[in-house]
Amino acid sequence: MNPLRTSRAVVAAAAAVVLSVTSTGFANAAAGAPRDSGDNGKIVVGIKFDQPGIGLKTPDGKYTGFDVDVATYVAKQLGHDPKDIEWKEAKSADRETLLQRGDVDFIAASYSITPKRAEKVDFAGPYLLAHQDVLVRADDDSIKKPSDLNNKKLCSVTGSTSAQNVKDKIAPNAQLQQYGGYSECLTGLENGVIDAVTTDDAILAGYAAQPEFKGKFKLGGFKMSNENYGIGVQKGSDLKAKINTALEKMVADGSWQAAVDKNLGPSGYQNEPAPKIGVIVQ
């Protein structure tokens, strides 16, 4: 046997293995392989950074809100302490992309489960049943039913479909006002420039629950739509079943209701009972 030929064969075989592994790695990355959330005990969670009472990054770098409390509980059940959580902003338009690329392990960000979204990602839950509603001034008794929004100045954020839904289906003479953010809508509502603000009741309750707005606003309680909030995971991820188990435990031990009361209760928000896992209310 020629030693030189044998040596060359071994080298060639080793190179082929390296090339195969490397190619597989690139293929997995291109396909958006699931994150290894076990790295250094860390887990990356997507939340909203700008929704008080739901998901908010405070000026001192802390994270608060109902979704934050739910995500923290779930992460704990998955084996991660709060200090192991890396919070990542998940804007509405970016959520599916963040999951598909594997930039986050899961997303809890007022993320309504819809058939279109479910084509791209999987959802655990739902963990909250919200409804489209309106927020009005506490002393305003002129808006008692959805049709009373006719001829009223109705505010929502630019790009939102909430206000347009009201105008198209409920109050065709509502005067739509689109602002850059809900905080601007609330300032207008407080100053009398706006008559009502519309989006999901949980989001409205989160804003109204803030100390600076205490006693100034009230929810209409109109339930103009059903919004089933779910926790988004990458398509095919085994995290879905694990998160569902965690959510069931959170409801059973009272932590879920405690989180609702703490974050949304100060606004007078009357929450629906915790949804049953896998049951989507149409």
Side-chain angles (χ1 to χ4, degrees):
M1 181 178 291
N2 187 328
L4 181 58
R5 182 178 300 170
T6 301
S7 175
R8 286 173 176 170
V10 170
V11 170
V17 171
V18 170
L19 180 59
S20 174
V21 170
T22 303
S23 298
T24 301
F26 284 135
N28 286 344
R35 292 190 70 265
D36 181 1
S37 60
D39 289 349
N40 301 317
K42 296 292 184 183
I43 187 167
V44 182
V45 180
I47 58 168
K48 290 293 181 68
F49 278 14
D50 59 353
Q51 289 183 346
I54 300 292
L56 180 70
K57 182 178 181 179
T58 62
D60 59 357
K62 296 180 180 179
Y63 301 90
T64 66
F66 176 67
D67 280 348
V68 174
D69 287 348
V70 170
T72 301
Y73 187 100
V74 167
K76 181 71 173 177
Q77 297 302 307
L78 296 176
H80 302 275
D81 290 332
K83 62 180 175 59
D84 297 327
I85 301 174
E86 177 185 333
W87 300 106
K88 189 175 186 68
E89 184 172 21
K91 296 180 179 179
S92 294
D94 299 335
R95 291 176 296 201
E96 286 83 35
T97 301
L98 289 171
L99 289 168
Q100 289 174 326
R101 287 195 315 221
D103 293 342
V104 295
D105 291 292
F106 66 83
I107 290 178
S110 54
Y111 202 1
S112 295
I113 301 171
T114 68
K116 185 176 180 180
R117 290 169 178 166
E119 292 176 359
K120 300 177 181 179
V121 303
D122 283 344
F123 285 99
Y127 65 95
L128 184 73
L129 176 59
H131 308 280
Q132 186 179 342
D133 200 358
V134 297
L135 194 69
V136 299
R137 286 181 294 279
D139 61 355
D140 186 354
D141 294 325
S142 67
I143 302 175
K144 296 180 178 179
K145 56 185 184 297
S147 61
D148 290 337
L149 293 167
N150 280 307
N151 301 313
K152 298 289 188 179
K153 295 183 177 65
L154 180 65
C155 186
S156 195
V157 298
T158 302
S160 168
T161 59
S162 298
Q164 191 63 50
N165 285 342
V166 173
K167 186 172 177 63
D168 290 345
K169 302 174 183 178
I170 297 170
N173 293 323
Q175 300 173 31
L176 298 187
Q177 309 287 320
Q178 295 191 21
Y179 287 5
Y182 289 112
S183 58
E184 296 173 45
C185 285
L186 264 69
T187 298
L189 182 62
E190 184 178 16
N191 296 335
V193 178
I194 296 297
D195 297 310
V197 183
T198 187
T199 188
D200 296 354
D201 54 6
I203 296 173
L204 294 173
Y207 277 100
Q210 300 309 292
E212 64 268 31
F213 295 132
K214 185 176 181 180
K216 294 182 178 180
F217 306 124
K218 63 184 178 183
L219 288 161
F222 296 157
K223 298 184 179 181
M224 294 181 284
S225 71
N226 294 319
E227 306 296 336
N228 299 269
Y229 285 5
I231 293 181
V233 298
Q234 197 173 70
K235 202 75 174 171
S237 173
D238 62 359
L239 277 181
K240 176 180 175 178
K242 295 176 181 178
I243 292 173
N244 279 336
T245 298
L247 291 173
E248 288 174 337
K249 184 176 180 180
M250 187 177 187
V251 172
D253 68 17
S255 299
W256 181 87
Q257 188 62 55
V260 174
D261 294 342
K262 182 183 80 172
N263 293 289
L264 307 176
S267 69
Y269 178 64
Q270 299 295 315
N271 65 279
E272 297 275 9
K276 292 187 181 299
I277 298 301
V279 177
I280 306 301
V281 179
Q282 301 296 332

